[in-house]
Amino acid sequence: MRVRYAPSPTGLQHIGGVRTALFNYLFARRSGGRFILRVEDTDRARSEDHYIQDIYQSLAWLGIEPDEGPAEHGFSGGDYGPYIQSRRVELYRKYTQQLLDEGKAYYCFCSTERMEQLRKKQEEEKSALQGYDRHCRSLPPEEARREAERRYAAGVEGQGCTVRFAIPLEGSATFHDLLLGDIEWANGDINPDPVILKADRFPTYHLANVIDDHLMNITHVLRAQEWLSSGPLHIQLYRAFGWEAPQFCHLPMVMGRDPATDKLSKLSKRHGATSLLEFRKGGYLREALINYIALLGWAFDESRETFTLAELEGCFDLAKLSRSPATFDYRKLEWFNGRYIRQYSVPQLRKELENLWQEHSPEMHGAVSVENLTERLDWILPLLQERLKSLREIPALAAYFFVAPVYEEPELALPKKHTAAQAAALLRKSRSVLEQLHSRDWVWETFDELLAVKQDWEASFRAAAADEGVKMGSLMQPLRYAITGSNTSPPLIESMIVLERLAGGEELLGRLDSLAMCLETGAEDL
RNA sequence: GUCUCCAUCGUCUAGUGGUUAGGACUCCAGAUUUUCAUUCUGGCAACGGGGGUUCAAUUCCCCCUGGAGAUGCCA
C-alpha cells in the first residue's frame, strides 16, 4: 500500500488538509504501507516557499512523519523523486505530448477574454451546457501544432496556447469509491475538455496529480469529497494513458458555520482560526488536535473517543468513516485541549510553554515577562493546570504572582451581607493570622511539601473564621480579592504560600493593607 | 441552471428489519469545595417529509425537501 498527502503550497495548512494528511498517514501505518509527501506547486502565481515550510512544520508538530518526501528538504527520499512537482515539469510535458500525438488532447488558442465572455453568456442564457464549448477541438492537428510552435517560439507567456484533454463525447466513467461505493458519471457531465497544460507550460492539478500518482505507484487515494467530481476526469486520464487507476476514497468534508449568515460551507478563514499552526500559537496541544481531528468523520465505536496518535495508528479503519460532512466544533476541541493539559505533567507543560513562548511571545499581563514567568512555572502551574482550556490563558491567570493587583472593583471583596468596614475587619484578622504563620519556622522545597504546609495554614484560617463567627468563605473572599484582584482564582491558600515563596511575606501583607485602606476610604460608596 | 454526493439530539457520532435509539461536546440542576475550575450524579435534546416492501421500518426501495460540492489556464 502506498498513499500520499499532496498539498499545494498556496496557503497555510488548515484543519481540512491536515485531517486528510492524518487519515492517509494512519491508513499507511495501519496497513504497513508507506506514506508519501508530495508538494503540488504547479500554480506558479500562488505558490510560495513559506507555505512549503508551513506544510513541513505542521506535519512535524503533529508528529506525522512521511516515509518519503522531498529529499532536498531533508525528508528521506524514496525511489520516486523528485517529490516537488515544479521539478518534474519535463515529465508532464512529455506525457502531454504523448496525448497530443495520440489525438487524445489538443491545442487550444482561445483567449481568457473569449472564455470569460463564453461563461458570462452561458450564465445569462441559463444554458444547459456550461464550460468550454470545444471551439479548438476541431482544429486540424497539424495546423494547430504549427501555431503552437509559433507561439511558444515567440516566448511570451500568456500567448494563450494551452493544451486541453479531449473528453470522449460518448460513454461514461465508472469507479468504485471505498466509502461511497460505485460512482457512475456520464462523459457528457464531465467538465468539457479541461486544460491540462497551461499557457506557462505548467500542468494543471489534474494532469500532474494523475501522472505522479501513477509514477509514484500510489495504490490508494484518500482525499476530501470536494474532489469527487474530478474523479471521472481522472479516470478518463488514466484510461487515456492506459494506466490502472488507484483505489479512491473520498473523505467527508470538514464544514464551518458562518456566524453571520448561519450557513454551512467548507471550513475556511471566515469561520475563525483554521490554520493548524494558528491553533498551536493559540495554546492548543498537538494531542488535542490529533484526537479531535481524527473524530471528524471517523468514529471507533459507540463510546470511545480518546485516542493518541499511536493508538490511532493501531486502530484506524476506513470502514468506520462517515459519509456525511462534519462541522468543526471549536468548543469540543477546547474540551479535548483542557483534558490533555490536565494529563500533562508539570515539567512537560513547562517545556511545552517554553517552546511555545520562544516562538511566539505571549500576550503579557502587567510586569509578567517570559523570563521570570518560565522559571517560576513549576510552582504556579499546578495551581492553574486544572482550570485551563488553553495554554494562552496562563499569563493572565498567573499575573497576580508577579504584580500586585489593582483594586478596580472593591465591591467584589465583600462577602454577602457584609459591609466594607466588616470586610476590612476580616482582612485585619487574616493579616494577624499571616503574621503568626510567618513567625513559625517552616520550609518546603517541593510542591508536595507545600501541600503539607497548606494543612497548617488552612487550619489557622479556619480557626480565625470561627473566631469571627463567619464562614470560611466569608473570611476568604476579601483575602482572595486582596491577593488576586479577583473573586475567582486558583486555590487561595496555595496561592499565598507560592506567592510568599516567590515574592516574600511582606508582599502578602502589603496587598492586604492596601485593599483594607481602599475599603476604608471608599466605604461610604459600598 | 446542470451534474454528483449526503441526511440520527444544536454539534461530533454509535446503532439495528423488532432497542426504554447509546456515547461525547454544549446547556441546565445537584453533590464535593475557601471562589473559579476539576471531579461525580442527574436532566433537556434526534431518526427531515411522503409513498412503498414487510407481520414489523430509524434501518431496504422510490419520490420530495433540505444541505453540500463541482461546474477555472486554483488546487
Side-chain angles (χ1 to χ4, degrees):
Chain A
M1 309 256 188
R2 291 173 58 82
V3 298
R4 58 23 174 212
Y5 176 53
S8 85
T10 52
L12 298 175
Q13 286 298 294
H14 59 102
I15 294 296
V18 167
R19 202 274 315 257
T20 300
L22 177 65
F23 282 12
N24 274 283
Y25 170 81
L26 295 175
F27 180 72
R29 281 289 168 279
R30 183 70 206 288
S31 61
R34 293 183 56 90
F35 173 65
I36 289 102
L37 175 64
R38 182 175 74 221
V39 177
E40 305 214 331
D41 57 341
T42 54
D43 183 339
R44 289 199 299 168
R46 293 197 303 151
S47 292
E48 292 178 31
D49 280 348
H50 75 272
Y51 289 139
I52 296 183
Q53 293 310 312
D54 182 72
I55 293 169
Y56 300 159
Q57 284 166 9
S58 297
L59 295 182
W61 181 51
L62 294 178
I64 298 176
E65 283 180 39
D67 300 307
E68 293 171 29
E72 51 272 74
H73 294 145
F75 290 89
S76 32
D79 305 329
Y80 302 90
Y83 292 84
I84 298 181
Q85 288 188 327
S86 56
R87 317 235 164 140
R88 301 168 66 85
V89 284
E90 286 312 322
L91 222 38
Y92 309 126
R93 288 170 192 166
K94 185 188 104 186
Y95 281 105
T96 302
Q97 191 57 50
Q98 182 186 321
L99 254 23
L100 245 11
D101 293 343
E102 294 172 355
K104 292 169 179 166
Y106 58 90
Y107 289 109
C108 172
F109 308 103
C110 294
S111 63
T112 42
E113 293 74 40
R114 178 173 187 274
M115 291 305 296
E116 268 165 36
Q117 275 175 4
L118 182 64
R119 199 167 303 129
K120 199 174 152 199
K121 195 174 152 215
Q122 286 172 339
E123 210 163 297
E124 278 168 4
E125 293 176 358
K126 293 199 168 27
S127 162
L129 290 172
Q130 299 265 325
Y132 187 51
D133 59 1
R134 297 185 156 119
H135 179 264
C136 294
R137 184 159 170 158
S138 52
L139 255 33
E142 196 45 36
E143 214 172 283
R145 188 182 60 77
R146 276 198 299 272
E147 174 64 10
E149 274 167 13
R150 191 186 67 74
R151 295 199 185 200
Y152 284 144
V156 186
E157 223 180 76
Q159 291 262 359
C161 176
T162 64
V163 178
R164 288 181 182 272
F165 179 57
I167 300 274
L169 272 7
E170 307 291 328
S172 63
T174 310
F175 65 97
H176 181 79
D177 186 278
L178 259 19
L179 215 212
L180 270 15
D182 289 327
I183 307 284
E184 191 181 348
W185 213 290
N187 286 341
D189 291 328
I190 299 177
N191 183 22
D193 299 359
V195 169
I196 53 176
L197 201 70
K198 300 181 258 192
D200 62 5
R201 302 196 74 210
F202 267 62
T204 57
Y205 163 81
H206 302 292
L207 209 233
N209 190 264
V210 162
I211 289 175
D212 284 350
D213 281 347
H214 171 74
L215 260 25
M216 294 183 179
N217 240 316
I218 299 302
T219 60
H220 298 258
V221 170
L222 276 54
R223 54 166 33 160
Q225 246 173 56
E226 59 186 297
W227 295 108
L228 186 63
S229 52
S230 330
L233 164 61
H234 296 174
I235 292 294
Q236 292 295 356
L237 279 166
Y238 283 108
R239 211 178 270 176
F241 284 119
W243 296 336
E244 192 189 333
Q247 295 276 297
F248 288 102
C249 180
H250 289 91
L251 307 168
M253 306 242 312
V254 180
M255 314 294 285
R257 193 176 290 280
D258 188 314
T261 63
D262 205 43
K263 297 257 189 213
L264 284 175
S265 55
K266 275 200 289 190
L267 187 66
S268 68
K269 285 192 200 84
R270 60 134 69 73
H271 302 119
T274 52
S275 105
L276 188 78
L277 266 12
E278 224 176 317
F279 281 103
R280 168 165 155 74
K281 188 177 173 185
Y284 289 86
L285 262 24
R286 58 171 69 68
E287 289 85 352
L289 260 318
I290 285 173
N291 200 148
Y292 179 67
I293 289 173
L295 262 18
L296 241 26
W298 183 83
F300 179 69
D301 64 12
E302 67 280 350
S303 58
R304 180 172 175 193
E305 60 175 6
T306 303
F307 300 92
T308 63
L309 219 214
E311 287 166 346
L312 288 166
E313 288 175 25
C315 68
F316 183 74
D317 183 0
L318 292 185
K320 291 172 182 297
L321 283 173
S322 162
R323 276 180 305 277
S324 39
T327 308
F328 192 84
D329 182 357
Y330 290 87
R331 287 191 293 194
K332 185 131 190 191
L333 206 215
E334 278 205 333
W335 176 78
F336 269 119
N337 205 44
R339 288 189 58 198
Y340 280 106
I341 287 174
R342 272 167 255 135
Q343 257 175 44
Y344 268 36
S345 67
V346 167
Q348 243 180 326
L349 210 48
R350 195 212 327 106
K351 184 90 187 109
E352 193 62 32
L353 281 170
E354 285 168 352
N355 290 342
L356 182 63
W357 288 345
Q358 214 164 3
E359 289 169 44
H360 306 284
S361 294
E363 211 171 285
M364 285 306 171
H365 218 257
V368 184
S369 73
V370 178
E371 291 72 35
N372 58 19
L373 185 45
T374 53
E375 70 193 22
R376 299 168 181 204
L377 249 20
D378 283 342
W379 302 118
I380 298 170
L381 248 19
L383 301 180
L384 304 187
Q385 191 169 14
E386 72 181 15
R387 61 212 84 221
L388 292 172
K389 287 202 289 282
S390 156
L391 267 28
R392 100 183 83 85
E393 301 166 310
I394 290 174
L397 283 178
Y400 70 90
F401 287 109
F402 300 87
V403 288
V406 180
Y407 304 118
E408 279 167 337
E409 299 172 279
E411 65 274 13
L412 295 181
L414 309 192
K416 271 202 186 85
K417 296 179 190 161
H418 281 66
T419 63
Q422 290 168 316
L426 291 174
L427 231 31
R428 278 192 297 276
K429 181 71 177 178
S430 290
R431 192 190 206 284
S432 70
V433 172
L434 279 175
E435 280 168 333
Q436 237 175 354
L437 285 166
H438 290 154
S439 69
R440 297 246 293 271
D441 201 17
W442 53 273
V443 290
W444 51 278
E445 286 304 325
T446 66
F447 198 80
D448 284 343
E449 287 168 22
L450 173 150
L451 292 179
V453 170
K454 184 208 156 194
Q455 304 295 322
D456 283 358
W457 282 50
E458 185 173 345
S460 303
F461 280 103
R462 283 198 184 281
D467 254 19
E468 295 291 309
V470 298
K471 288 183 181 164
M472 181 68 158
S474 301
L475 180 68
M476 298 302 261
Q477 188 162 342
L479 183 55
R480 163 168 284 109
Y481 191 71
I483 299 295
T484 71
S486 167
N487 60 350
T488 63
S489 79
L492 222 212
I493 293 173
E494 289 92 318
S495 293
M496 290 191 294
I497 299 172
V498 167
L499 186 56
E500 165 143 338
R501 164 88 182 201
L502 299 178
E506 287 307 309
E507 175 66 23
L508 258 46
L509 299 181
R511 291 187 189 186
L512 265 56
D513 292 341
S514 98
L515 176 61
M517 186 183 301
C518 174
L519 286 173
E520 276 153 5
T521 58
E524 57 275 14
D525 300 333
L526 294 174

